[in-house]
Amino acid sequence: MTADYDRGLPHGGSTRTADDLADVWREVLRVPVPGTDADFFALGGDSFQAIQLATLITQRFGVTATADLAFDVPGIGEQARWIEARAPRVEPAAPTGADEPALSTQQEDFLIWMTEPEVPRDIGSIAVATRITDAFDTALFERALAAVVRRHEALRTVCRREGGRHAVSMATDLPPDVVEVEASGDTPTEREADAVRLAAAERQVLSDVTSDPLVRALVIRIGPDDQVLVLSVHHFAFDGWSMGVVLREVALEYSALRTGRPSPLRPLETTYTQYCRWSRTQWPLHQPYWDRMLAGAPRALEPFPGRRVTDRYSWRAHWFEVPAATAQRLRHAARARGASAYMGVMTCWSTVLTEWTGLTDLVLMSPAPGRTAPEHNGVVGCLVQSLLLRLDLSGAPGYEELLGRVRATVLGANAHQLHAYQDARLRVPYPSRIHYESWSEPPNVPGLVSAPFPIPRFQQNLVWHVPPGERDLTSPWLIVEEQPDGSMRAAVVYNGFGFDPAVPAALAEEFDRHVDRFATALRTA
């Protein structure tokens, strides 16, 4: 059940409350707030920022707010009146504690997951590639990158195997591995093609978390003031959000070194260890929610027509595109009902899964940033929270009714996202998944003329084995990436050992069909 934010709002509201709330909005959205009729989502807010907004409102105004507030009352004036109508209740401040090593729930789960089968599994790395058409000094870049590694303890994680288990500690220094190579070819076109090949090969390099540096960079020289930077960090200590932080900070350090100025980076508001120690205090508070939601949940989407028997997994993906016009219709239809585009996409994907399998009790895993307060935004590490979203599709709900169910499930899970996922995964080891990505800008190196450079998203040479005596029950899952032109780049990801390519292709076609029908049905409803 979601909170009812649209009742009991007094007329008026003090200017002080609205002004203070505008400061909170600016802190979360990083944009000017034009006035009391401003709309949270019209200014670029999303469901993750709605969580941060709720956290700050709770801290600053002494009222208990959840992410529902931004969806149900998106206007700043209405929110100010809502705050004033509630009696204050101050939440306790997050404890700090000593800087002893601590792990996130995702890392705790990785430690279990890596050693479950007889053949240890490798999580792989998170990587980005940018083409820098500017003067670039690799030696200075290496110094800048090393400074950022020293700054963030998660990048100095040491994971050693001891007696069949992993022991984790933080090294004082763990220099990154930086290599520079020359692209071959007699012409610029040939050298660029070779750079594509070298970058793709670098993406497939597997690092051993027990022996190799976690941070690796390859600089591919194409020509004068023309090079490609491929930056990779092992996923055990890193998430996708952290890549943006690292790129920004490395650029600032690089600029300071090049000009002889001191580092402009200020001390961290919160260290990774402090974040992990605090987040672990939240686990028992949220555990009753997950116990209730996952009671009796299915372990997998089984049976799944088209699945072959196998004990191995390897990434494969069927890519396709949702045109901008169709994607925009979906966004408008969802927003008109107080939901996000992500919720609309999940409504369509869950409908596809139910029609394909005949199952009505579905569990989908979807990642959340785990950054529930603005001071978490600058933390580098593996903060990502995996949320198991249990959806009820019984009774053949229409799109609008199902969107309401999805909305309630997503908001409830996000409000309780800080939990012990390593325990929850044991209950549902084989959910389908959905990853929705809406980055505001493509990867680049601030301060240098740079643009994204293509590399494979997945490390297709990763092969994972299941525990002894089991078979892989992983179901195809969905990735949706928002594009600058309004379209959606999407993929149905599947186990190359377990499915013929025709299965994900058919699922993609069904998803396309449901997106169009969803947008049409809700537009006319």
Side-chain angles (χ1 to χ4, degrees), residues 11 16 83 122 195 210 251 261 311 314 385 427 456 461 499:
H11 295 290
R16 173 66 181 274
I83 290 168
D122 189 335
T210 66
R261 293 180 288 106
D311 62 356
S314 181
Q385 290 282 152
R427 299 185 181 190
N461 54 340
F499 289 93

Side-chain angles (χ1 to χ4, degrees), residues 15-90:
T15 303
R16 173 66 181 274
T17 302
D19 288 346
D20 290 346
L21 182 58
D23 290 339
V24 172
W25 276 38
R26 282 188 285 268
E27 188 172 344
V28 171
L29 298 174
R30 307 282 179 164
V31 297
V33 179
T36 56
D37 59 346
D39 182 283
F40 185 77
F41 294 100
L43 293 180
D46 57 29
S47 57
F48 299 134
Q49 289 169 318
I51 296 167
Q52 295 188 349
L53 176 68
T55 299
L56 284 184
I57 287 175
T58 299
Q59 292 174 350
R60 305 278 174 86
F61 296 96
V63 298
T64 302
T66 69
D68 298 47
L69 175 60
F71 286 92
D72 292 338
V73 186
I76 191 169
E78 295 171 305
Q79 287 185 11
R81 295 194 296 275
W82 181 88
I83 290 168
E84 292 178 348
R86 267 67 183 171
R89 184 170 76 84
V90 180

Side-chain angles (χ1 to χ4, degrees), residues 191-423:
R191 289 191 291 273
E192 181 173 344
D194 193 51
V196 171
R197 180 188 65 80
L198 290 169
E202 172 66 10
R203 178 69 184 109
Q204 301 307 322
V205 172
L206 300 179
S207 298
D208 187 344
V209 71
T210 66
S211 60
D212 298 333
L214 298 184
V215 183
R216 192 176 70 251
L218 176 67
V219 177
I220 307 168
R221 295 284 184 182
I222 299 176
D225 297 341
D226 188 4
Q227 49 274 307
V228 171
L229 168 66
V230 184
L231 182 62
S232 306
V233 186
H234 202 283
H235 191 15
F236 178 75
F238 201 71
D239 57 23
W241 184 297
S242 297
M243 184 63 81
V245 179
V246 167
L247 286 173
R248 181 183 65 82
E249 292 190 354
V250 168
L252 290 171
E253 286 285 344
Y254 178 83
S255 176
L257 289 170
R258 189 171 57 177
T259 57
R261 293 180 288 106
S263 171
L265 297 178
R266 294 178 293 178
L268 294 169
E269 290 185 73
T270 302
T271 68
Y272 183 62
T273 292
Q274 289 170 342
Y275 170 85
C276 289
R277 286 173 58 84
W278 169 74
S279 66
R280 295 169 82 96
T281 68
Q282 306 302 298
W283 294 359
L285 303 179
H286 296 156
Q287 190 60 42
Y289 171 86
W290 294 103
D291 288 341
R292 184 173 68 256
M293 291 299 295
L294 298 179
R299 298 179 74 252
L301 274 70
E302 176 71 1
F304 200 103
R307 180 191 282 129
R308 295 192 291 257
V309 176
T310 181
D311 62 356
R312 296 177 297 166
Y313 184 95
S314 181
W315 302 102
R316 294 295 182 269
H318 175 86
W319 290 96
F320 62 103
E321 181 181 288
V322 178
T326 304
Q328 192 63 12
R329 288 168 53 223
L330 177 143
R331 295 184 191 99
H332 286 160
R335 186 68 198 97
R337 285 151 183 83
S340 64
Y342 161 65
M343 297 170 188
V345 165
M346 187 176 296
T347 299
C348 296
W349 179 241
S350 60
T351 302
V352 170
L353 293 176
T354 286
E355 289 183 350
W356 190 271
T357 64
L359 304 171
T360 59
D361 187 0
L362 305 180
V363 181
L364 277 61
M365 193 283 282
S366 189
R371 300 165 191 267
T372 57
E375 59 265 28
H376 302 157
N377 289 348
V379 178
V380 167
C382 192
L383 284 68
V384 63
Q385 290 282 152
S386 296
L387 306 182
L388 292 172
L389 307 172
R390 189 175 185 182
L391 301 177
D392 174 16
L393 281 87
S394 62
Y399 291 120
E400 185 161 12
E401 181 181 351
L402 181 55
L403 178 63
R405 296 182 189 181
V406 167
R407 180 186 186 275
T409 299
V410 169
L411 291 176
N414 273 290
H416 300 86
Q417 64 180 270
L418 300 177
H419 71 292
Y421 174 70
Q422 69 270 23
D423 297 331

Side-chain angles (χ1 to χ4, degrees), residues 151-165:
R151 172 178 167 84
H152 294 284
E153 57 196 339
L155 301 179
R156 295 181 273 106
T157 301
V158 177
C159 188
R160 296 284 184 257
R161 290 193 185 99
E162 296 181 359
R165 59 182 294 274

